[in-house]
Amino acid sequence: MIGLPFAAMAFQAAGITALVYDPRGVGLSDGFPRNDINPFREVDDMCDALTFLSSHKMVDQKKGVGLWGMSLGAAIAMVAAALDHRVRFVIAVCPATEHTHNMEKLRLVLAKATKDRESRIKGNEPFYVPMLNKKGENPAGFDPGFERETILRMLQVQDETDPLRASLAPHHVNRTTVGTYRNMLMWDMRHMWQYRKHLL
């Protein structure tokens, strides 16, 4: 996630213990296929990270643990908090609670996703597509929810020779499996709001 280390350091500077992690198959975490985004699985990963952090000696058990997330990570945090009573609070920055897309483009991507599943059952590598092309557009027509200037800045950090990449997103890869879009269509976290009553 772009800028995540800076957010963690700000928490640390304020005396708040912070754990930064990558979901399985992303960034520095292991797991295969790489960059196969599955929100349901990422909720489990966040709860597992919570288990690790909650048992750490630096964490005050009386004060408890909260979750921070941005965009899809914010929506993941909100669902994890609704399901896991250990979460005391959530900071959700621009949560991706709804997705808009171009139906014409999406149909083409989903057709490729079906062929990709057939191919992977035969033992082949997954098919990948860029999250954003050079024009800043998503191949499935999903609206990333950012202003164009921000999108172009995100694309800029793909250049490994650019110092901005080292500071903002040193391990970010501008591609996902085509199956990611199938996963995202099945994901709708809005009904989870009713289960968040335990939050402060």
Side-chain angles (χ1 to χ4, degrees):
M1 171 57 68
I2 293 176
L4 182 57
F6 292 113
M9 286 189 289
F11 282 124
Q12 290 285 102
I16 301 172
T17 300
L19 170 68
V20 178
Y21 75 97
D22 290 321
R24 72 184 86 174
V26 177
L28 295 178
S29 290
D30 57 11
F32 184 84
R34 303 301 297 171
N35 297 322
D36 184 43
I37 309 303
N38 186 324
F40 302 97
R41 191 171 59 206
E42 291 193 13
V43 169
D44 289 338
D45 288 347
M46 186 167 281
C47 290
D48 291 342
L50 180 64
T51 296
F52 172 81
L53 186 60
S54 297
S55 62
H56 199 283
K57 62 182 180 181
M58 292 181 65
V59 174
D60 186 338
Q61 299 296 329
K62 293 181 179 179
K63 292 183 178 179
V65 177
L67 301 176
W68 181 98
M70 179 177 177
S71 189
L72 177 60
I76 300 289
M78 293 165 71
V79 172
L83 295 171
D84 196 321
H85 70 278
R86 297 174 298 176
V87 180
R88 298 292 298 278
F89 65 90
V90 177
I91 301 174
V93 182
C94 301
T97 55
E98 297 183 53
H99 301 282
T100 59
H101 48 264
N102 179 300
M103 281 303 300
E104 184 178 348
K105 290 182 177 180
L106 183 61
R107 287 192 186 100
L108 294 174
V109 170
L110 290 178
K112 289 183 179 180
T114 298
K115 291 181 179 179
D116 177 65
R117 286 182 64 81
E118 293 176 344
S119 176
R120 285 168 63 177
I121 286 175
K122 297 175 182 178
N124 297 317
E125 295 284 323
F127 180 66
Y128 287 91
V129 292
M131 288 191 288
L132 298 169
N133 61 24
K134 292 181 180 180
K135 295 181 180 179
E137 300 170 345
N138 179 272
F142 274 89
D143 181 359
F146 297 106
E147 295 178 355
R148 183 163 182 77
E149 181 179 338
T150 302
I151 291 174
L152 294 176
R153 189 180 187 204
M154 291 170 66
L155 287 171
Q156 193 177 23
V157 301
Q158 305 309 313
D159 182 0
E160 295 186 3
T161 64
D162 192 325
L164 186 64
R165 177 182 174 86
S167 62
L168 282 180
H171 307 292
H172 179 66
V173 179
N174 184 34
R175 69 173 193 168
T176 59
T177 62
V178 70
T180 289
Y181 297 99
R182 184 176 180 274
N183 297 335
M184 292 302 298
L185 277 180
M186 293 187 287
W187 165 261
D188 185 354
M189 52 79 66
R190 290 171 293 181
H191 72 283
M192 295 300 300
W193 291 102
Q194 61 183 310
Y195 304 114
R196 62 191 180 109
K197 294 180 180 179
H198 67 276
L199 296 177
L200 296 179

